[in-house]
Amino acid sequence: MASTVVPTSFTMLMSKDNALSFTKSVDFVKVSTLKRISKSLRGKNVSVIRNSSSDGYDVAQLQPASEGSPLLVPRQKYCESTYKTIRRKTCTVMVGNVALGSDHPIRIQTMTTTDTKDVAGTVEQVMRIADKGADIVRITVQGKKEADACFEIKNTLVQKNYNIPLVADIHFAPPIALRVAECFDKIRVNPGNFADRRAQFEQLEYTEDDYQQELQHIEQVFTPLVEKCKKYGRAMRIGTNHGSLSDRIMSYYGDSPRGMVESAFEFARICRKLDYHNFVFSMKASNPVIMVQAYRLLVAEMYVAGWDYPLHLGVTEAGEGEDGRMKSAIGVGTLLQDGLGDTIRVSLTEAPEEEIDPCKRLANLGMRASDLQKGVAPFEEKHRHYFDFQRRTGQLPVQKEGEEVDYRGTLHRDGSVLMSVSLDQLKAPELLYRSLAAKLAVGMPFKDLATVDSILLRELPPVGDRDARLALKRLIDISMGVLTPLSEQLTKPLPNAIVLVDLKELSSGAHKLLPEGTRLAVSVRGDESFEDLHVLKDVDATMLLHDLPYTEDKISRVHAARRLFEYLGENALDVPVIHHMQFANGIHKDDLVIGAGSNVGALLVDGLGDGLLLEAPGQDFDFLRNTSFNLLQGCRMRNTKTEYVSCPSCGRTLFDLQEISAEIREKTSHLPGVSIAIMGCIVNGPGEMADADFGYVGGSPGKIDLYVGKTVVKRGIQMQHATDALIQLIKEHDRWVDPPVEE
């Protein structure tokens, strides 16, 4: 067997089963079973690795995930196309009587919240879920009593003519998995805790022999379940959670997307070794950005390995209400736009049947995009970072000599929110200021943490309407941009307005009718020819508005925007880009949230964009503003309120999650920059709270444990005192401020 070495800069190598694996950086990394190694550097850190396989040669080109990044990733595609939505071809996995894979619709699923030992209650909940239209239901199975109850649950449902496939959710309990595989249709295993102990977040040192022994232990523990699933025709989900990676994985790969992928691949290799292929993958995280990166890395490796297993998509601990829907839309919707995903769940801290409707809406969005193969003309991408977040930051407005007002506040460095304002709103200035989330002092507006940055006024008030124009002047005086179309500014000029023009108006020179020095915002579709876009090189624009009409059926907003950003990158244009998304009159609120999250969020998680402007005739103004800020926060850009990591509840939950979550939110929602995890139990380990500053976790019935980061600091607090104890803990760490007094 041939073997050789490559320099330390290569942090990826070929492993068993012809799959690429990530390695820890060491002085030298041994690479075995390689046919040939060649270097194609030419100033770039790129390696081309070939390995022999029964199917011929697989070529894996590696390159830094981003400039200067120590992570080398496959240069190969992570999806079928980067310029249109083509569903990734996957094999069919049978979950009971439901076929899952690219030849079938995107399947909808959720999870029960009842105590599994309560057979009647669980059956009733499964029936309600099935009646809402779910394809698959997952049930937690933590012990022998719950496993025994599963037989009754399955039999009772069959007697009632409910044949919906059931999935057993397993943690830490291989014998329980073996038992329930005899009656349920699918087993979900968490690679982080199925054979490994709960993570203690210890940095461990492994020799090569030590690591191999750990893998042998996993194989010994996992093999009986694989063989049983083969025997009974059961499916399996190898479901990695960002928060519950083992100490072994984290010591070797870090608490990262690459660790998540390798954790799953360890189990998948065992399945393949035993010729078992009826399984799917998932890479869940509460942070949509991490979740998207992990799935992309997973698929990139599967392309290199020649694997075609389906994907289960989900953002874990997404929360409740609009927040939960938005996080799921950002994470799941981004991947669906790239043609990835075969079954999805929208995890909400609500009754499980309430998850089905937004889940269907999201699945329909993904199916429509892939059915129509929505996209743009082919183009080459060189600037987008698929595997690690690196924001393209547009050049914020700078003050120019002679300008009468300060334009520097028209955009925000962490992401901007623009709103469309009507003439009617100008008739009640103080109400408008409040709607823009401005603070008021003796009737005068002032910008606050979550104040709208700029407004679009499609129609200017008459020159003689002194009250309306005074209201606009007061907004401009606090550095709020007022955008208005060129035709309006030419006929009813508003001093210091930012004039919105399109490419035709720029090309024709119509904007030259404006006074010299007038600020311009340029509206672009993104699918124009590069020749038409060249006019942007000659204009000092304050911002671009990416605006593709919602009536376009075949053109994808996401791909058009990626094409626009590619043009800007190739031509070194750093003008800020605002995602301007318009919706049809009367659109359902959930469709608006999911549409914005899936289209705008899909770009922001790649670092593409500097803000957004959502327009929806007939929708509540405050709802649109809050949705906009929620989207920025969900993409880890601009924090304007407390962030919650809230689990969706299941049979393990030790308290009324919805009630407690509402209580905590009521008392702590005014703490922007603070993140609080509200967890029904700690089954997945404190790593589930990796993004949280403080944690409120069910420790035992009626008792709560409090965490700071991943460390438990107070145990066994009586539930009636736990919320106050959490607030006190926040105060002790100097993160508390008193709620603002209502004006």
Side-chain angles (χ1 to χ4, degrees):
M1 179 180 296
S3 78
T4 184
V5 294
V6 295
T8 181
S9 57
F10 298 118
T11 57
M12 228 182 198
L13 76 155
M14 299 304 301
S15 66
K16 295 179 182 178
D17 213 8
N18 299 328
L20 276 176
S21 303
F22 301 97
T23 84
K24 187 179 181 181
S25 283
V26 291
D27 290 340
F28 284 94
V29 177
K30 180 178 285 188
V31 182
S32 301
T33 67
L34 300 184
K35 184 78 174 178
R36 186 175 76 212
I37 300 176
S38 64
K39 299 176 185 177
S40 305
L41 294 178
R42 296 184 183 178
K44 297 180 181 179
N45 193 7
V46 178
S47 168
V48 180
I49 296 178
R50 296 177 184 269
N51 69 293
S52 59
S53 70
S54 58
D55 300 322
Y57 290 106
D58 290 325
V59 180
Q61 282 192 312
L62 308 184
Q63 65 180 11
S66 59
E67 187 175 353
S69 172
L71 171 63
L72 291 183
V73 297
R75 194 173 183 179
Q76 259 82 346
K77 60 188 180 182
Y78 74 89
C79 61
E80 287 295 314
S81 170
T82 55
Y83 59 86
K84 63 180 177 179
T85 302
I86 300 177
R87 194 167 175 193
R88 171 178 165 260
K89 185 69 176 175
T90 60
C91 64
T92 293
V93 167
M94 293 303 300
V95 184
N97 59 357
V98 172
L100 193 157
S102 60
D103 290 336
H104 313 283
I106 295 171
R107 301 302 187 183
I108 308 302
Q109 59 179 288
T110 184
M111 187 173 186
T112 59
T113 58
T114 53
D115 182 342
T116 307
K117 297 190 298 296
D118 177 5
V119 173
T122 303
V123 166
E124 287 297 320
Q125 192 170 72
V126 171
M127 291 166 60
R128 289 197 300 273
I129 292 168
D131 290 342
K132 283 281 189 175
D135 298 304
I136 301 169
V137 179
R138 180 158 46 114
I139 298 174
T140 187
V141 189
Q142 61 265 53
K144 186 177 182 304
K145 291 181 180 179
E146 287 80 7
D148 291 341
C150 289
F151 287 82
E152 292 186 61
I153 292 168
K154 182 69 172 180
N155 290 335
T156 304
L157 285 167
V158 170
Q159 290 168 10
K160 293 177 178 289
N161 292 320
Y162 281 83
N163 293 308
I164 187 167
L166 302 180
V167 183
D169 194 58
I170 302 293
H171 299 265
F172 303 110
I176 302 304
L178 288 170
R179 168 75 169 144
V180 78
E182 296 176 9
C183 67
F184 272 17
D185 305 283
K186 183 179 175 185
I187 307 296
R188 181 268 170 127
V189 297
N190 183 341
N193 61 33
F194 186 81
D196 287 302
R197 64 172 184 165
R198 187 193 301 277
Q200 305 299 311
F201 302 96
E202 299 172 348
Q203 185 69 30
L204 305 177
E205 295 296 330
Y206 285 93
T207 66
E208 187 173 342
D209 287 341
D210 291 339
Y211 201 88
Q212 289 303 316
Q213 286 177 11
E214 292 268 358
L215 294 181
Q216 289 171 11
H217 168 69
I218 291 172
E219 186 168 351
Q220 289 171 359
V221 174
F222 186 49
T223 293
L225 178 61
V226 176
E227 291 176 336
K228 195 153 197 176
C229 285
K230 281 185 67 176
K231 176 182 176 181
Y232 284 89
R234 307 306 188 199
M236 187 184 297
R237 170 159 67 98
I238 301 173
T240 303
N241 274 40
H242 179 228
S244 56
L245 298 176
S246 67
D247 285 330
R248 174 178 49 79
I249 285 289
M250 286 191 287
S251 296
Y252 217 72
Y253 303 100
D255 182 12
S256 64
R258 57 181 173 174
M260 295 171 67
V261 173
E262 183 57 30
S263 181
F265 264 48
E266 288 178 352
F267 280 67
R269 293 185 194 108
I270 297 168
C271 291
R272 289 176 60 84
K273 180 179 178 180
L274 298 169
D275 196 27
Y276 173 72
H277 303 280
N278 202 42
F279 65 88
V280 305
F281 283 113
S282 68
M283 299 275 124
K284 294 194 178 184
S286 60
N287 180 335
V289 177
I290 296 290
M291 173 263 198
V292 168
Q293 291 170 7
Y295 276 102
R296 285 175 173 171
L297 281 171
L298 170 73
V299 176
E301 285 211 45
M302 282 205 280
Y303 273 124
V304 170
W307 296 1
D308 61 353
Y309 300 109
L311 297 178
H312 166 125
L313 304 184
V315 176
T316 190
E317 280 87 42
E320 64 184 6
E322 186 192 325
D323 287 356
R325 286 160 175 79
M326 179 60 79
K327 282 185 183 178
S328 290
I330 294 168
V332 176
T334 295
L335 297 167
L336 291 176
Q337 297 276 15
D338 279 324
L340 305 179
D342 303 285
T343 179
I344 64 175
R345 181 192 176 190
V346 175
S347 298
L348 300 174
T349 310
E350 301 176 18
E353 55 266 33
E354 297 303 316
E355 295 182 358
I356 305 306
D357 181 68
C359 200
K360 282 183 178 179
R361 295 175 190 273
L362 196 48
N364 289 340
L365 182 149
M367 288 297 296
R368 177 174 172 77
S370 61
D371 287 346
L372 294 175
Q373 292 199 354
K374 297 180 73 169
V376 292
F379 67 98
E380 183 182 2
E381 274 196 314
K382 301 176 184 176
H383 295 82
R384 183 164 64 99
H385 304 288
Y386 309 149
F387 302 108
D388 67 341
F389 180 82
Q390 188 168 324
R391 185 179 169 198
R392 172 207 178 267
T393 304
Q395 175 62 54
L396 295 175
V398 295
Q399 202 64 14
K400 298 177 182 178
E401 186 176 351
E403 289 184 324
E404 299 175 352
V405 298
D406 188 352
Y407 288 98
R408 290 173 295 180
T410 57
L411 296 177
H412 194 283
R413 67 179 184 275
D414 295 328
S416 305
V417 170
L418 283 70
M419 294 289 292
S420 179
V421 170
S422 68
L423 281 180
D424 283 344
Q425 288 175 283
L426 288 174
K427 295 175 181 178
E430 287 197 19
L431 185 59
L432 172 62
Y433 302 153
R434 292 182 188 275
S435 295
L436 297 171
K439 291 290 186 182
L440 291 179
V442 293
M444 300 291 287
F446 295 89
K447 276 194 171 182
D448 197 24
L449 185 69
T451 302
V452 170
D453 300 290
S454 293
I455 62 172
L456 170 63
L457 199 61
R458 292 190 177 277
E459 185 180 356
L460 287 173
V463 175
D465 190 341
R466 304 175 79 179
D467 290 341
R469 293 198 161 231
L470 177 60
L472 291 172
K473 180 181 183 302
R474 287 177 173 168
L475 292 176
I476 292 172
D477 286 344
I478 62 170
S479 198
M480 184 177 291
V482 176
L483 283 68
T484 194
L486 175 63
S487 58
E488 286 294 297
Q489 185 67 5
L490 289 175
T491 55
K492 296 176 282 186
L494 176 71
N496 303 307
I498 299 172
V499 179
L500 182 63
V501 297
D502 59 29
L503 291 182
K504 286 184 179 179
E505 290 168 331
L506 282 183
S507 299
S508 68
H511 65 291
K512 295 178 181 178
L513 298 172
L514 296 166
E516 186 177 351
T518 299
R519 292 270 184 168
L520 296 179
V522 184
S523 179
V524 295
R525 290 169 52 98
D527 64 338
E528 300 94 343
S529 71
F530 286 166
E531 290 74 19
D532 287 344
L533 291 173
H534 285 335
V535 70
L536 296 175
K537 298 179 182 179
D538 303 321
V539 177
D540 182 17
T542 299
M543 66 186 84
L544 300 183
L545 268 59
H546 176 240
D547 182 10
L548 187 72
Y550 66 86
T551 52
E552 293 284 0
D553 271 340
K554 292 284 288 184
I555 301 173
S556 160
R557 161 177 284 276
V558 170
H559 296 93
R562 287 175 180 170
R563 183 176 179 276
L564 172 63
F565 282 107
E566 189 61 36
Y567 174 84
L568 296 176
E570 277 293 288
N571 292 277
L573 298 175
D574 59 358
V575 58
V577 178
I578 301 300
H579 297 294
H580 183 188
M581 190 167 184
Q582 301 182 55
F583 296 90
N585 189 14
I587 187 171
H588 190 282
K589 284 187 175 182
D590 278 358
D591 282 331
L592 189 150
V593 170
I594 289 167
S598 300
N599 287 279
V600 177
L603 297 157
L604 296 181
V605 295
D606 280 336
L608 302 179
D610 300 274
L612 69 157
L613 165 58
L614 303 180
E615 283 193 276
Q619 279 292 356
D620 179 71
F621 193 86
D622 288 348
F623 167 73
L624 290 174
R625 186 193 69 242
N626 290 333
T627 298
S628 300
F629 279 107
N630 286 345
L631 179 48
L632 290 178
Q633 185 152 332
C635 292
R636 295 304 194 265
M637 289 179 65
R638 184 173 175 182
N639 263 312
T640 51
K641 63 179 184 180
T642 312
E643 179 76 11
Y644 297 98
V645 179
S646 180
C647 82
S649 186
C650 71
R652 290 183 172 89
T653 302
L654 297 170
F655 55 84
D656 187 327
L657 199 60
Q658 293 182 53
E659 180 182 334
I660 295 299
S661 177
E663 177 184 313
I664 292 174
R665 286 169 184 263
E666 182 182 359
K667 295 183 178 181
T668 63
S669 61
H670 64 288
L671 302 173
V674 173
S675 179
I676 300 173
I678 308 168
M679 313 291 287
C681 71
I682 201 63
V683 66
N684 282 332
E688 287 290 4
M689 300 176 292
D691 283 337
D693 302 307
F694 304 95
Y696 179 109
V697 182
S700 59
K703 301 290 181 66
I704 299 299
D705 297 337
L706 296 182
Y707 284 73
V708 175
K710 299 174 183 176
T711 305
V712 62
V713 293
K714 295 184 179 180
R715 292 187 184 274
I717 302 170
Q718 293 291 337
M719 188 172 296
Q720 61 266 35
H721 305 304
T723 301
D724 291 337
L726 172 64
I727 293 171
Q728 184 58 39
L729 186 63
I730 297 171
K731 290 179 177 178
E732 291 170 4
H733 285 76
D734 297 323
R735 304 293 300 275
W736 179 265
V737 295
D738 290 330
V741 178
E742 288 293 328
E743 299 173 15

